[in-house]
Amino acid sequence: MTLNRKSPRGNPLLFIQGNEACVYGAIHAGCNFFAGYPITPSTEITEGMSVNLPGIGGTFMQMEDEIASIAAIIGASAAGAVSMTATSGPGFSLMQENIGYAYMVQLPIVIINVQRGGPSTGLPTMLSQADTMQARWGTHGDYTAIVLTASSVQEAYNVTIRAFQIADRFSTPVIVLLDELIGHMREKVELTMINNKNPVRRKLPEVPPEWYFPYKNTLDMVSHPAPFGEGFRYNITGLIHDKAGFPSSVEHEVINRMEFLRNKIMQHCQEIWDYREFYTEDAKYLIIAYGSAARAARGAIETLRNMRIKGGLIELKTVWPFPYLPISKIAEKAKSKIIFVAENNMGQLVHPVNEIFSNSVKVFNINRFDGHAIDPYEIVDMVKENIYA
Amino acid sequence: MKNGTKATAKKGTGKINRVTIRISGSGGQGIISTGMLLGEAIAIGDERNVSQSQSYGPEARGGATCADIIVSDGEIFFPECNLLDILVAFTYEAYEKYASLTREKGIIIADQSAVDVLSGTAETIKVPFIETAREKFSKSIVANMIALGFLSGYTGIVTGGSLLDVVNDHYAGSKHRDANIRAINEGFKLAREYAGSAKVFI
């Protein structure tokens, strides 16, 4: 006898790590190029891609470091590949300069950062959410980042697929921010997109090459640079550029470029924002969290509700652009009195939350930064302590 | 340390509200693969929620190594084990290190060779996993399979069928398949010998 590994919908069921789920997600999304440098706790992604990509006609490159890795996937993306890399804290720091380049030249790439603790090499094998701000503000200059996250192995699979779709949709880097706990633990996963009929494939422009401008404003405010080698000739540069891609410091063109980079994302927030609500309708005490901290918060809410304390949770699936609007609407509707932000760091996600509620509602931060997951009871205690204070 | 999410294992309800299991021993004893097989058998075979993790970093190389499995029919909110319901220890080092983390009402299943002086407050039973593996299979490596069979028979945390299925899957076409299946059955047999004191978790 063997195990029945089919879900009721006929999809394969696996018992795998979050990192392995990312590999399946990437392959099912249509990824065909990976360049990376192994680093704990993301190594299984690099390993998995090296095993799986060659078999489906993709390319795997082990690079000499993370700077080379990000450069390689940007180059591959310029040539039309659906490309990604995976790393953790120290590697993510090394990648920052080129991530900024990718924002500027508007090429779709996916970067998975499985967060570890501490600055520098820190805590390689332990859990942290300390790159929350770096994912938003890591590279220099003004730009708008898209950062997605997951709180279970199934979600790691789903979010990886979504990251590729969004990167392609907005022609921009998408960062998937996982934490060590989600990356390393094994859970049951249903491979829902194994027969994906619409894998991400880079589109060619609809105009003939002689009319083509890679960075021209379009109706939906998104430009898609054509893959190199298809006859569409244009310039790619990290300098502020005009619609043809050539450097320009003319005032209106600078403003146009900068606003374009922001607006293509901010005007489509509704498409990007993703979050889940738990008992928020009447949540006098509202918790905001993502990743493994949100998992603990869900447990805390159940316990609080059993104690007849009106707790609720907004679990973020999109960390950036920060869902200011939905959060303030939910809190307003529920007439929330105190907001708690639970996170595995010394306080990062709390800042945008503070921006929303600066004067109107009290905001408390629940932090843990010893490399371990937040225990639901820590949240329960913190909530009880503050509502009776 | 906080108490962690409360574990309850109500007898006879068939529902589990969080049971934590730690398989521990030293590197090379197949601890990690034992944990993976157990997790997969419960998650896919028995259709319960499982999260399984293992120790990484310096402690994973030599010395005590462990694989943690959390089983629940509800959501698993806290995927770390800070209090154990079931500890399986193959070495004295592992037993000594984790016995005190085992809940008072939990159970420690230790290899006979692993327990010298009792520590911790949980009930400890000593089972000759390694000795049986050596005697009946002439190789100590199948001790973990015997332990899996025993765990199933003794605690009911995993059904025997799922366990056999998952091993069948993983060792399909391997020359080790038959020995592993026989070792699991040996574990079932051992569990029956200890049945008088059995603790039921489901």
Side-chain angles (χ1 to χ4, degrees), chain A residues 201-253:
Chain A
R201 286 290 168 256
R202 297 281 297 285
K203 287 164 223 55
L204 287 181
E206 284 163 2
V207 294
E210 54 275 24
W211 294 356
Y212 178 64
F213 290 106
Y215 299 113
K216 201 176 140 186
N217 288 2
T218 53
L219 270 183
D220 75 340
M221 295 294 297
V222 181
S223 53
H224 294 273
F228 271 14
E230 301 284 348
F232 298 88
R233 294 170 59 168
Y234 63 100
N235 192 47
I236 291 190
T237 175
L239 291 165
I240 297 263
H241 44 265
D242 60 18
K243 64 180 178 180
F246 288 101
S248 164
S249 48
V250 180
E251 218 172 275
H252 77 269
E253 266 173 353

Side-chain angles (χ1 to χ4, degrees), chain A residues 115 129 132-133 147-152 155-156 159 162 175-179 182 272-278 280 286-295 297-298 312-328 330 339-343 345 348-354 356-357:
Chain A
Q115 300 171 89
Q129 300 183 316
T132 308
M133 279 296 178
V147 181
L148 312 176
T149 186
S151 68
S152 69
E155 280 178 15
V159 80
R162 186 155 188 263
I175 294 163
V176 177
L177 211 48
L178 300 182
D179 49 57
I182 308 299
I272 302 165
W273 282 336
D274 189 13
Y275 52 90
R276 270 203 296 176
E277 297 175 52
F278 295 89
T280 49
L286 187 63
I287 304 174
I288 296 167
Y290 82 87
S292 53
R295 238 179 130 111
R298 288 207 296 272
L313 167 72
I314 303 177
E315 175 178 347
L316 304 184
K317 306 277 168 208
T318 306
V319 185
W320 305 105
F322 194 74
Y324 290 98
L325 208 63
I327 291 177
S328 61
I330 290 165
I339 312 285
F340 296 88
V341 181
E343 48 186 334
N345 55 44
Q348 300 194 10
L349 198 67
V350 70
H351 293 298
V353 176
N354 264 328
I356 305 177
F357 301 105

